[in-house]
Amino acid sequence: MKKIILFIIIFISFQSFSQTIKEQLKQIITIDDAKKLATENPNLEAELLNIHPEIETDDFATKLADVKTGEIFSDLDFTYKILFETNINAFRVSYIFLDASKISLAEIEKLRTEILEEYKNGISFSNLANKYTMDNSKDGDLGWFAEGMMVPDFETEVKNHKQNDIFKVDIANEKWYYIVLKTFNDKPIREFTVLKIKSNT
């Protein structure tokens, strides 16, 4: 009997905690509201996330495909509120990375000339990436990425080119040098700004 009573008390406490959380979340409208909640309630482990259902393939992003701004829902040990939705663009490129901390700029320019010549002569970009890139990227395919996810200089160059363009990108202050192939046209996607909090604190 004591166990049953204890279970009922825990269940009621959990339900009222959940209701309290949801009531709090209803009051959160802006990013500033979310930051204030996080500051005042560190036990909630609050995070702001940017989710892109059209280009992210994990289960959680898939669940957001049909949600609307303002919705509150729970998933596993967390509760979420969709603060707002923005329309942005996504991009897709392949790249070859050359590292100026390991080789000279003269060597980089020589390599880039050779790579572009080989590409012009019909060697696939994926083969060239596997041969030349100085990071661990397989085939050079960066996959889809949303606006704001990449270094600004890199992203600006990508925006300024169209599908099938091949071009150089220099991030000199980081000693990063690239050859980039734009493999797809830009596509419009949705970006959800989501507040995530722990449900069972």
Side-chain angles (χ1 to χ4, degrees):
M1 187 67 167
K2 285 181 181 177
K3 285 183 181 177
I4 293 171
I5 292 169
L6 182 60
F7 173 78
I8 291 169
I9 290 168
I10 290 169
F11 179 73
I12 291 169
S13 300
F14 178 75
Q15 275 204 319
S16 32
F17 176 78
S18 297
Q19 287 165 0
T20 304
I21 287 291
K22 287 187 176 174
E23 286 306 312
Q24 280 184 293
L25 286 179
K26 282 179 188 174
Q27 309 305 313
I28 307 300
I29 307 297
T30 67
I31 287 179
D32 285 342
D33 293 340
K35 287 179 178 174
K36 185 178 178 190
L37 177 74
T39 303
E40 293 176 355
N41 302 276
N43 60 314
L44 295 179
E45 298 179 18
E47 286 183 77
L48 281 167
L49 310 172
N50 289 326
I51 310 290
H52 311 96
E54 285 88 358
I55 61 172
E56 294 176 31
T57 55
D58 60 88
D59 290 341
F60 181 72
T62 304
K63 288 175 185 174
L64 295 189
D66 299 316
V67 299
K68 295 179 177 60
T69 298
E71 280 192 35
I72 298 167
F73 62 94
S74 294
D75 183 53
L76 301 176
D77 295 331
F78 297 94
T79 300
Y80 302 85
K81 179 170 182 178
I82 311 299
L83 294 181
F84 50 87
E85 176 185 330
T86 310
N87 294 317
I88 61 172
N89 282 323
F91 314 97
R92 190 160 181 178
V93 301
S94 290
Y95 72 94
I96 295 167
F97 168 64
L98 301 170
D99 187 349
S101 69
K102 295 181 179 172
I103 60 175
S104 71
L105 289 178
E107 289 174 291
I108 284 173
E109 282 314 308
K110 184 175 177 228
L111 274 175
R112 292 209 285 199
T113 301
E114 288 173 12
I115 291 165
L116 291 170
E117 191 63 31
E118 288 183 47
Y119 181 75
K120 196 187 296 183
N121 289 332
I123 297 178
S124 73
F125 196 90
S126 60
N127 285 341
L128 292 169
N130 282 327
K131 180 179 176 182
Y132 289 106
T133 198
M134 296 175 73
D135 65 6
N136 296 321
S137 172
K138 185 181 178 184
D139 300 330
D141 184 6
L142 195 53
W144 287 103
F145 63 94
E147 285 184 67
M149 290 179 67
M150 292 296 160
V151 174
D153 289 348
F154 186 94
E155 191 172 299
T156 298
E157 287 298 324
V158 171
K159 286 179 181 178
N160 288 338
H161 287 85
K162 60 184 187 298
Q163 186 178 13
N164 298 322
D165 283 355
I166 188 165
F167 51 97
K168 298 176 185 180
V169 179
D170 298 348
I171 315 291
N173 59 317
E174 298 288 351
K175 299 186 175 180
W176 300 340
Y177 293 82
Y178 299 88
I179 291 179
V180 180
L181 174 67
K182 190 159 185 176
T183 47
F184 288 82
N185 286 320
D186 305 345
K187 71 174 180 178
I189 62 166
R190 294 170 298 161
E191 178 177 82
F192 289 107
T193 299
V194 181
L195 175 62
K196 170 186 174 184
I197 61 171
K198 202 165 185 184
S199 301
N200 58 351
T201 50

